[in-house]
Amino acid sequence: MAESVVLDPVDLHLLRLLQNDARTTYRDLAAQVGVAPSTCLDRVTRLRRSGVILGHRLKLDPAKLGRGLQALLSVQVRPHRRELVGPFVERIRALPESLTVFHLTGPDDYLVHVAVADMADLQRLVLDEFTARREVARVETRLIFQQWDCGPVLPSSPSAQTG
């Protein structure tokens, strides 16, 4: 389990601003937080080095890229041993259809969020990339009708934490 990082109010303010718009300039961040731009840069650099900030990502719309059907694949791997699951996870992560892979407790070992062109493409993916693997004992497919992004990790303001 990852170790927590101690954050002061300035760090938290910077993170709140960045999680809502990661493209905000250091000059604008510094002005909103009330510190010098060099201090802002040092703090954000420290937050990156400590692993609090994991990166910046471009979010794409799968439907606009020809992958309008999304599904969740519950995958059971047998036997569930490190020498088998390591290569399985790397292969699944390398598939362009895979959006997210979760390692789970319970009857299913993995939950894989995928985006495909259509039902035939989903069938091809399940048969050729999942059930064709020797270590995959079972795959259960659930279609996603709609999804919503959830709120940021940090509340938008310090008062929201206590309220």
Side-chain angles (χ1 to χ4, degrees):
M1 186 159 195
E3 195 173 307
S4 292
V5 175
V6 178
L7 304 171
D8 68 16
V10 173
D11 293 333
L12 291 170
H13 195 175
L14 287 168
L15 291 171
R16 278 188 196 92
L17 294 168
L18 287 170
Q19 76 182 358
N20 292 317
D21 184 0
R23 297 183 309 167
T24 306
T25 66
Y26 289 116
R27 182 186 314 207
D28 289 343
L29 285 172
Q32 291 180 61
V33 176
V35 298
S38 61
T39 300
C40 181
L41 175 60
D42 290 345
R43 283 178 173 261
V44 172
T45 300
R46 181 179 49 80
L47 291 167
R48 280 194 185 103
R49 270 195 234 121
S50 66
V52 173
I53 296 175
L54 298 175
H56 307 278
R57 294 189 182 160
L58 180 66
K59 187 171 180 181
L60 303 175
D61 182 346
K64 297 228 164 89
L65 299 170
R67 294 192 178 150
L69 181 64
Q70 292 187 45
L72 296 172
L73 307 180
S74 299
V75 182
Q76 193 175 69
V77 174
R78 292 295 176 260
H80 193 182
R81 292 195 321 248
R82 189 175 301 278
E83 63 271 11
L84 292 176
V85 299
F88 168 77
V89 169
E90 289 311 308
R91 174 65 188 139
I92 298 312
R93 288 184 68 208
L95 295 172
E97 297 89 352
S98 295
L99 301 176
T100 310
V101 180
F102 299 94
H103 190 191
L104 309 171
T105 63
D108 297 314
D109 300 311
Y110 295 93
L111 184 65
V112 185
H113 180 191
V114 299
V116 295
D118 53 29
M119 196 62 75
D121 196 25
L122 179 61
Q123 181 182 26
R124 176 207 51 81
L125 180 70
V126 169
L127 293 176
D128 295 348
E129 299 294 345
F130 285 84
T131 60
R133 296 186 63 91
R134 284 191 325 237
E135 69 273 24
V136 173
R138 185 178 63 80
V139 175
E140 190 173 305
T141 304
R142 291 175 178 86
L143 298 180
I144 298 173
F145 291 137
Q146 193 171 2
Q147 78 180 58
W148 297 266
D149 287 336
C150 295
V153 173
L154 293 172
S156 58
S157 68
S159 61
Q161 290 177 334
T162 58

